[in-house]
Amino acid sequence: MFPNDLSVKKNYVITLVRSGELEESEKVLVEIIKTHDKKDTSFKLILAGLYSAQGKQKESKQTYSEILEVEPGNEEACIFLAKSY
């Protein structure tokens, strides 16, 4: 058992989202992002989508913008940021 393993945490977040526990999944994602490599944007993409699903457009746009600062060629972030405008 490896509770700090990123793949375990990612699966946990996905399970929370599927079960409708969006606030709890947001907390877990924010904590992962704080302690994780800043160049890996996969968790931020999930968080930005979660913000969007919760109607938190300002936070969603900010997170997509942060992703594009680190990874300017991220097509998914570009598309969703453009859709939010």
Side-chain angles (χ1 to χ4, degrees), residues 22 47-57 60:
L22 302 181
L47 181 61
L50 186 61
Y51 283 147
S52 182
Q54 292 176 311
K56 297 179 178 180
Q57 296 306 316
S60 178

Short mmCIF file of all heavy atoms in Angstrom, two decimals, residues 22 47-57 60:
data_model
loop_
_atom_site.label_atom_id
_atom_site.label_comp_id
_atom_site.label_asym_id
_atom_site.label_seq_id
_atom_site.Cartn_x
_atom_site.Cartn_y
_atom_site.Cartn_z
N LEU A 22 -17.35 16.67 -5.31
CA LEU A 22 -16.50 17.63 -6.01
C LEU A 22 -15.65 18.46 -5.06
O LEU A 22 -14.48 18.74 -5.34
CB LEU A 22 -17.33 18.52 -6.91
CG LEU A 22 -18.18 17.79 -7.97
CD1 LEU A 22 -18.93 18.78 -8.83
CD2 LEU A 22 -17.33 16.87 -8.82
N LEU A 47 -8.02 19.76 -12.15
CA LEU A 47 -8.53 20.80 -11.27
C LEU A 47 -9.26 21.89 -12.05
O LEU A 47 -10.34 22.34 -11.64
CB LEU A 47 -7.40 21.41 -10.44
CG LEU A 47 -7.80 22.49 -9.44
CD1 LEU A 47 -8.77 21.94 -8.39
CD2 LEU A 47 -6.56 23.08 -8.77
N ALA A 48 -8.70 22.31 -13.16
CA ALA A 48 -9.34 23.34 -13.98
C ALA A 48 -10.70 22.87 -14.49
O ALA A 48 -11.68 23.62 -14.47
CB ALA A 48 -8.45 23.73 -15.15
N GLY A 49 -10.78 21.63 -14.91
CA GLY A 49 -12.06 21.06 -15.35
C GLY A 49 -13.05 20.96 -14.21
O GLY A 49 -14.25 21.18 -14.38
N LEU A 50 -12.55 20.63 -13.04
CA LEU A 50 -13.40 20.54 -11.85
C LEU A 50 -13.95 21.91 -11.49
O LEU A 50 -15.14 22.05 -11.20
CB LEU A 50 -12.59 19.97 -10.69
CG LEU A 50 -13.33 19.68 -9.40
CD1 LEU A 50 -14.41 18.64 -9.63
CD2 LEU A 50 -12.36 19.20 -8.35
N TYR A 51 -13.10 22.93 -11.55
CA TYR A 51 -13.58 24.30 -11.30
C TYR A 51 -14.68 24.67 -12.29
O TYR A 51 -15.69 25.25 -11.93
CB TYR A 51 -12.44 25.30 -11.42
CG TYR A 51 -11.50 25.37 -10.25
CD1 TYR A 51 -10.14 25.66 -10.45
CD2 TYR A 51 -11.92 25.19 -8.94
CE1 TYR A 51 -9.26 25.76 -9.38
CE2 TYR A 51 -11.05 25.27 -7.88
CZ TYR A 51 -9.71 25.56 -8.10
OH TYR A 51 -8.85 25.65 -7.04
N SER A 52 -14.46 24.34 -13.53
CA SER A 52 -15.44 24.65 -14.57
C SER A 52 -16.77 23.94 -14.29
O SER A 52 -17.84 24.54 -14.42
CB SER A 52 -14.89 24.23 -15.94
OG SER A 52 -15.79 24.56 -16.95
N ALA A 53 -16.69 22.68 -13.90
CA ALA A 53 -17.91 21.92 -13.59
C ALA A 53 -18.67 22.49 -12.40
O ALA A 53 -19.89 22.37 -12.32
CB ALA A 53 -17.56 20.46 -13.33
N GLN A 54 -17.94 23.13 -11.49
CA GLN A 54 -18.55 23.73 -10.31
C GLN A 54 -19.02 25.16 -10.56
O GLN A 54 -19.55 25.80 -9.67
CB GLN A 54 -17.56 23.73 -9.14
CG GLN A 54 -17.24 22.36 -8.61
CD GLN A 54 -16.19 22.43 -7.52
OE1 GLN A 54 -15.15 23.06 -7.67
NE2 GLN A 54 -16.47 21.78 -6.40
N GLY A 55 -18.80 25.66 -11.77
CA GLY A 55 -19.20 27.02 -12.09
C GLY A 55 -18.22 28.07 -11.60
O GLY A 55 -18.55 29.26 -11.55
N LYS A 56 -17.04 27.67 -11.23
CA LYS A 56 -16.01 28.59 -10.75
C LYS A 56 -15.15 29.02 -11.95
O LYS A 56 -14.00 28.59 -12.11
CB LYS A 56 -15.15 27.93 -9.68
CG LYS A 56 -15.91 27.54 -8.43
CD LYS A 56 -14.99 26.87 -7.43
CE LYS A 56 -15.71 26.52 -6.15
NZ LYS A 56 -14.81 25.86 -5.18
N GLN A 57 -15.72 29.88 -12.78
CA GLN A 57 -15.06 30.26 -14.03
C GLN A 57 -13.76 31.02 -13.81
O GLN A 57 -12.79 30.82 -14.54
CB GLN A 57 -16.03 31.07 -14.90
CG GLN A 57 -17.24 30.29 -15.36
CD GLN A 57 -16.87 28.99 -16.05
OE1 GLN A 57 -15.98 28.92 -16.86
NE2 GLN A 57 -17.58 27.91 -15.69
N SER A 60 -11.14 28.55 -12.86
CA SER A 60 -10.86 27.70 -14.01
C SER A 60 -9.95 28.41 -15.01
O SER A 60 -8.95 27.85 -15.46
CB SER A 60 -12.18 27.30 -14.69
OG SER A 60 -11.94 26.51 -15.82
#
